[in-house]
């Protein structure tokens, strides 16, 4: 809790153009921690000039500007990688989509209770696996049930959270089960409390129709991977 609060305070101070050194001193944390927390914030030219007048001179200013340029390059590299990744995989074939979904379900889905169910907080992963169930196993949306899980401190936001996940999935609220409010001490401080939506569990009714088929395909995926390893394929 303390570290989360300090991190949020560090972000606020950095956005105001406060130097990393002063942030570290004010929050009584190491300079490396303050720098790590605020590493993605790009300062405006006016803020840089203000820092220059207050604390930076000569070579120090050059190094500081250099670090800002490096940050900008890193962020551009991230965006470029996203664009290249989308271009490389934008046209998945049915078999490739099946395998990708199997790998995700293998890591995130239920495998012991004979239920076809997975839970995650990432809306993109939820959408991907939901589409996988529909396209690869012909499971109609009417056979899907949803269950929201969220800390009880969000009790007053229940309807907003449920509507958010209904919009993400395209599944009507009538197919949502009772919200699971987690009665645990909240150790995480969210920068924006009102943009936290917990997790969503997606489950299939009468799952035995699909459970054993999915498990069999996962076993096939494992055997195929093991075969590559045994043959020394890199």
């Amino acid at each position: 809790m303390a570290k989360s609060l300090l991190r949020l305070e560090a972000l606020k101070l950095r956005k105001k153009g406060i130097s990393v050194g002063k942030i570290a001193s004010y929050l009584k944390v190491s300079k490396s921690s303050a720098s790590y927390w605020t590493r993605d914030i790009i300062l405006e030219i006016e803020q840089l000039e203000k820092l220059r007048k207050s604390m930076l001179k000569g070579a120090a200013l050059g190094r500081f500007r250099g670090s800002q340029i490096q940050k900008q390059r890193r962020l551009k590299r991230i965006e470029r990688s996203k664009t290249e990744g989308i271009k490389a995989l934008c046209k998945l074939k049915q078999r490739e989509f099946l395998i990708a979904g199997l790998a995700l379900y293998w890591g995130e889905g239920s495998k012991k209770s004979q239920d076809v169910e997975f839970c995650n907080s990432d809306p993109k992963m939820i959408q991907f696996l939901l589409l996988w169930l529909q396209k690869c196993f012909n499971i109609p949306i009417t056979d899907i049930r949803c269950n929201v899980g969220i800390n009880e401190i969000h009790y007053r936001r229940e309807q907003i959270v449920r509507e958010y996940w209904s919009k993400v999935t395209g599944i009507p609220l009538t197919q949502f089960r009772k919200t699971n409010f987690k009665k645990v001490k909240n150790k995480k401080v969210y920068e924006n409390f009102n943009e936290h939506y917990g997790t969503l569990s997606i489950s299939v009714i009468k799952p035995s129709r699909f459970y054993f088929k999915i498990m069999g395909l996962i076993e096939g995926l494992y055997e195929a991977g093991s075969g590559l390893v045994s043959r020394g394929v890199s």
Side-chain angles (χ1 to χ4, degrees):
M1 177 74 79
K3 285 187 177 180
S4 295
L5 289 172
L6 289 172
R7 181 182 66 82
L8 295 181
E9 185 63 24
L11 289 172
K12 291 178 182 178
L13 292 172
R14 189 58 171 166
K15 288 175 182 178
K16 292 179 180 179
I18 307 300
S19 71
V20 172
K22 286 186 177 180
I23 292 173
S25 177
Y26 177 74
L27 298 180
K28 295 181 173 57
V29 298
S30 68
K31 191 172 180 179
S32 61
S33 292
S35 177
Y36 179 75
W37 291 337
T38 61
R39 67 192 185 282
D40 289 332
I41 297 177
I42 305 298
L43 298 182
E44 301 293 336
I45 296 298
E46 294 78 7
Q47 293 174 320
L48 289 172
E49 290 302 317
K50 184 178 179 180
L51 283 175
R52 180 186 66 80
K53 292 177 181 179
S54 63
M55 62 175 289
L56 296 175
K57 295 180 181 180
L61 178 59
R63 289 194 297 271
F64 185 76
R65 285 176 170 168
S67 69
Q68 294 297 303
I69 291 173
Q70 290 300 318
K71 285 182 180 180
Q72 292 174 337
R73 287 176 178 172
R74 177 163 56 85
L75 293 175
K76 287 181 180 179
R77 187 163 62 248
I78 290 172
E79 289 304 314
R80 184 170 63 252
S81 296
K82 287 181 180 179
T83 301
E84 292 173 351
I86 291 172
K87 183 178 180 180
L89 297 174
C90 64
K91 296 182 179 179
L92 282 181
K93 295 180 180 179
Q94 182 75 6
R95 178 179 172 81
E96 294 171 334
F97 184 42
L98 171 65
I99 293 172
L102 284 172
L104 278 178
Y105 190 90
W106 193 358
E108 299 292 331
S110 173
K111 296 174 284 292
K112 294 183 178 180
S113 61
Q114 296 188 17
D115 289 325
V116 176
E117 181 178 10
F118 54 85
C119 178
N120 208 272
S121 61
D122 185 346
K124 291 182 180 179
M125 184 176 290
I126 291 290
Q127 290 173 332
F128 187 96
L129 282 170
L130 186 58
L131 183 62
W132 177 72
L133 290 176
Q134 295 175 79
K135 296 297 184 181
C136 295
F137 298 95
N138 297 316
I139 298 176
I141 202 73
T142 53
D143 284 357
I144 301 294
R145 296 296 179 267
C146 300
N147 181 224
V148 174
I150 197 166
N151 192 289
E152 62 181 353
I153 63 175
H154 293 275
Y155 178 78
R156 294 182 181 276
R157 295 180 59 243
E158 179 185 9
Q159 188 61 25
I160 294 174
V161 172
R162 288 166 67 90
E163 289 176 354
Y164 165 83
W165 285 115
S166 178
K167 184 177 180 180
V168 166
T169 60
I171 297 174
L173 290 173
T174 53
Q175 292 173 221
F176 277 61
R177 291 170 173 155
K178 184 177 179 181
T179 301
N180 177 25
F181 288 106
K182 302 174 183 178
K183 297 181 180 180
V184 296
K185 185 177 180 180
N186 188 33
K187 297 181 179 180
K188 184 174 182 180
V189 178
Y190 298 98
E191 187 172 0
N192 193 330
F193 179 87
N194 291 321
E195 292 183 3
H196 178 63
Y197 298 100
T199 61
L200 185 72
S201 292
I202 294 290
S203 58
V204 178
I205 61 174
K206 299 180 180 179
S208 60
R209 296 173 293 166
F210 312 101
Y211 172 80
F212 295 106
K213 183 174 183 179
I214 291 173
M215 291 301 102
L217 287 168
I218 288 176
E219 188 65 23
L221 183 60
Y222 167 74
E223 290 296 331
S226 298
L228 290 175
V229 172
S230 65
R231 294 196 302 271
V233 178
S234 59

